[in-house]
């Protein structure tokens, strides 16, 4: 890849909050403290790992993160951290088994829906909840939002504001560097009560506690029993259609022939995958996928910057079928992911955290009951 083309692609530099070189990523992995994580993770200034963008983009796997942590800490002190990793795999398993069903209300219909557009105050970051508004600004600037605030925002939009979950979930995915279709979609459904037994509610006291702030007289400043009965506040009554667009990079020149092609995607950017083996390495960015699940320029820049860790990787923007026609008879090798079930060739399983636990589980608790049996194996692998 020519240096000029790399510079052109990365005109919008990735925020320093999430460096893309492997040395920095591995240093961040080394710094994980599962004890502090368990004690502080729900606070907005808590000791979280900030590994999620690298996990979501397949730079490092859940299994590698878990094995690294349990080699350095007793499993009993890692339980909260490992459980949160398991949530990510659980969401993926649900998508694997339910497919496109996850893009509709999965278990229950969302109640009291007033509209299926984007709440304007959330889009513009002027809900009046200071922590949420500041986090919306941070999301747009850095591609990051603390997980607890994501839940606050989803509850504000869906439960307090009576918006259907799907459009605001797409808006959040668009901006997140760690955008994960399954995790984001199903987390919004969990908050909205369409993939959980009840809706998730937050109030101002809860936000003040976990953000260590003091705010009163907001649209969330009331007891929980009153929140569920209160009318939609004026601040959340205006909504508008959401128009998201994606800008794909230009494709690299491809060789005239290739016998073996290792296919990478925005969810598999692992530089150790088949490292050193002979073959053509191509990052496939399909317009159909990104038109359905658009991402911001900042997210695309992040993906392309992570791709630079893979020597000789070429970028191709087009469909799998177009690529297959260019290389008839080539062997395509790729990692299994629900976003690329239409690929043809040699499909390899990802490095599952719990490969023994598969199939559909209607709740995380039922999944964790099976998965937790295998936690001790992580210490020995």
């Amino acid at each position: 890849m020519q240096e000029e083309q790399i510079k052109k692609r990365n005109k919008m530099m990735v925020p320093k909050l999430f460096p893309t070189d492997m040395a920095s990523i591995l240093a961040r992995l080394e710094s994980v403290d599962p004890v502090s994580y368990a004690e502080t993770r729900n606070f907005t200034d808590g000791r979280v790992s900030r590994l999620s963008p690298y996990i979501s983009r397949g730079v490092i796997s859940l299994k590698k993160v878990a094995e690294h942590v349990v080699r350095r800490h007793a499993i009993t002190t890692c339980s909260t951290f490992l459980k949160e990793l398991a949530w990510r795999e659980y969401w993926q398993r649900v998508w694997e088994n339910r497919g496109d069903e996850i893009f509709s209300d999965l278990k229950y219909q969302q109640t009291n829906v007033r509209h299926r557009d984007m709440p304007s105050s959330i889009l513009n970051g002027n809900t009046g909840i200071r922590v949420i508004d500041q986090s919306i600004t941070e999301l747009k600037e850095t591609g990051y939002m603390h997980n607890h605030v994501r839940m606050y925002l989803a509850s504000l939009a869906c439960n307090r504001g009576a918006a259907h979950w799907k459009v605001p979930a797409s808006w959040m995915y668009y901006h997140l560097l760690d955008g994960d279709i399954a995790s984001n979609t199903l987390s919004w459904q969990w908050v909205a009560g369409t993939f959980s037994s009840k809706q998730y509610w937050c109030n101002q006291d809860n936000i003040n506690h976990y953000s260590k702030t003091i705010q009163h007289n907001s649209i969330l400043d009331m007891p929980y029993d009153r929140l569920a009965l209160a009318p939609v506040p004026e601040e959340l009554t205006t909504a508008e259609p959401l128009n998201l667009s994606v800008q794909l990079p230009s494709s690299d020149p491809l060789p005239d022939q290739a016998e073996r092609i290792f296919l990478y995607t925005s969810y598999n950017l692992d530089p150790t995958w088949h490292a050193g083996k002979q073959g053509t390495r191509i990052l496939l960015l399909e317009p159909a996928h990104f038109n359905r699940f658009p991402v911001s320029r900042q997210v695309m820049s992040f993906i392309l910057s992570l791709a630079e860790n893979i020597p000789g990787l070429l970028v191709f923007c087009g469909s799998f079928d177009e690529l297959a026609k260019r290389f008839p008879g080539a062997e395509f090798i790729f990692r299994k992911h629900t976003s690329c079930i239409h690929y043809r060739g040699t499909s390899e399983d990802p490095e599952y955290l719990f490969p023994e636990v598969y199939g559909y589980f209607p709740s995380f608790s039922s999944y964790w009951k099976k998965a937790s049996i295998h936690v001790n194996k992580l210490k020995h692998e």
Side-chain angles (χ1 to χ4, degrees):
M1 186 183 300
Q2 297 180 350
E3 188 174 342
E4 278 187 25
Q5 194 162 358
I6 293 175
K7 289 180 179 178
K8 184 178 179 181
R9 285 179 182 158
N10 294 325
K11 277 184 179 178
M12 179 183 289
M13 298 303 292
V14 176
K16 293 180 180 179
L17 187 62
F18 293 101
T20 56
D21 63 287
M22 286 307 300
S24 297
I25 294 170
L26 294 176
R28 185 162 292 188
L29 177 59
E30 289 285 343
S31 68
V32 172
D33 180 352
V35 177
S36 296
Y37 175 87
E39 294 172 347
T40 67
R41 59 176 295 271
N42 284 328
F43 290 90
T44 55
D45 64 351
R47 184 76 182 274
V48 294
S49 71
R50 301 206 181 211
L51 288 173
S52 58
Y54 313 115
I55 295 172
S56 294
R57 299 298 164 194
V59 180
I60 48 178
S61 67
L62 291 170
K63 185 177 182 181
K64 285 181 179 176
V65 172
E67 288 175 349
H68 181 88
V69 171
V70 300
R71 278 197 300 267
R72 290 159 174 74
H73 304 272
I75 285 184
T76 53
T77 67
C78 299
S79 57
T80 298
F81 185 77
L82 294 175
K83 196 171 185 179
E84 292 306 311
L85 293 181
W87 268 102
R88 286 182 164 271
E89 186 150 297
Y90 171 65
W91 298 134
Q92 292 298 325
R93 290 300 200 183
V94 173
W95 191 19
E96 285 178 12
N97 286 274
R98 300 300 294 268
D100 279 357
E101 291 179 46
I102 74 165
F103 303 117
S104 302
D105 295 1
L106 192 53
K107 290 174 66 175
Y108 310 103
Q109 290 293 309
Q110 185 177 338
T111 59
N112 301 321
V113 174
R114 295 181 67 251
H115 65 84
R116 293 173 179 264
D117 289 316
M118 184 67 197
S120 299
S121 60
I122 291 176
L123 184 65
N124 300 316
N126 56 11
T127 68
I129 311 297
R130 289 199 293 268
V131 169
I132 291 178
D133 291 342
Q134 291 165 5
S135 295
I136 291 171
T137 298
E138 182 183 14
L139 173 66
K140 293 176 180 178
E141 291 178 351
T142 70
Y144 173 77
M145 179 178 283
H146 189 279
N147 191 62
H148 211 163
V149 182
R150 298 183 200 193
M151 294 169 62
Y152 292 155
L153 191 150
S155 182
L156 182 69
C158 301
N159 304 335
R160 188 73 173 94
H164 188 263
W165 61 266
K166 189 171 183 180
V167 170
S170 297
W171 166 83
M172 181 174 283
Y173 174 82
Y174 179 80
H175 288 288
L176 288 170
L177 294 185
D178 68 1
D180 177 296
I181 294 170
S183 178
N184 184 67
T185 300
L186 293 168
S187 293
W188 275 80
Q189 291 216 48
W190 187 87
V191 170
T194 61
F195 191 52
S196 57
S197 58
K198 59 181 180 179
Q199 296 173 321
Y200 168 80
W201 286 85
C202 64
N203 66 7
Q204 190 64 56
D205 283 345
N206 184 281
I207 294 173
N208 287 344
H209 175 72
Y210 285 107
S211 63
K212 300 177 182 177
T213 58
I214 300 174
Q215 182 178 1
H216 298 293
N217 301 316
S218 74
I219 57 176
L220 291 178
D221 194 16
M222 60 185 77
Y224 285 110
D225 57 351
R226 285 179 52 201
L227 269 178
L229 301 175
V232 175
E234 183 178 349
E235 291 87 341
L236 296 174
T237 55
T238 303
E240 56 195 273
L242 185 64
N243 297 307
L244 301 174
S245 61
V246 63
Q247 183 176 340
L248 294 176
S250 55
S251 297
D252 289 320
L254 299 181
D256 294 331
Q257 295 180 331
E259 294 183 0
R260 175 192 289 173
I261 296 175
F262 295 106
L263 272 187
Y264 296 76
T265 70
S266 58
Y267 291 112
N268 174 25
L269 294 171
D270 180 1
T272 69
W273 182 59
H274 289 297
K277 291 186 179 180
Q278 290 296 316
T280 302
R281 300 178 186 276
I282 296 177
L283 169 58
L284 180 58
L285 302 176
E286 294 191 284
H289 170 82
F290 286 100
N291 287 334
R292 186 182 184 190
F293 305 108
V295 298
S296 69
R297 286 186 60 200
Q298 182 168 232
V299 172
M300 183 57 64
S301 178
F302 182 69
I303 291 168
L304 294 171
S305 295
L306 289 173
E308 292 173 27
N309 292 308
I310 302 168
L313 184 66
L314 302 172
V315 174
F316 178 74
C317 297
S319 69
F320 174 84
D321 286 343
E322 289 174 315
L323 192 62
K325 286 178 182 178
R326 294 187 67 157
F327 298 102
E331 178 190 11
F332 288 92
I333 303 170
F334 53 90
R335 270 185 169 163
K336 177 183 173 184
H337 193 273
T338 310
S339 66
C340 57
I341 56 175
H342 57 291
Y343 290 9
R344 300 183 302 276
T346 302
S347 173
E348 300 179 351
D349 280 342
E351 292 184 323
Y352 287 115
L353 181 59
F354 299 114
E356 309 90 346
V357 187
Y358 51 88
Y360 174 68
F361 292 85
S363 67
F364 177 76
S365 60
S366 60
Y367 170 82
W368 182 244
K369 185 177 180 179
K370 297 283 187 180
S372 60
I373 298 171
H374 304 282
V375 165
N376 286 329
K377 291 183 180 179
L378 296 169
K379 195 78 173 179
H380 307 292
E381 293 183 4

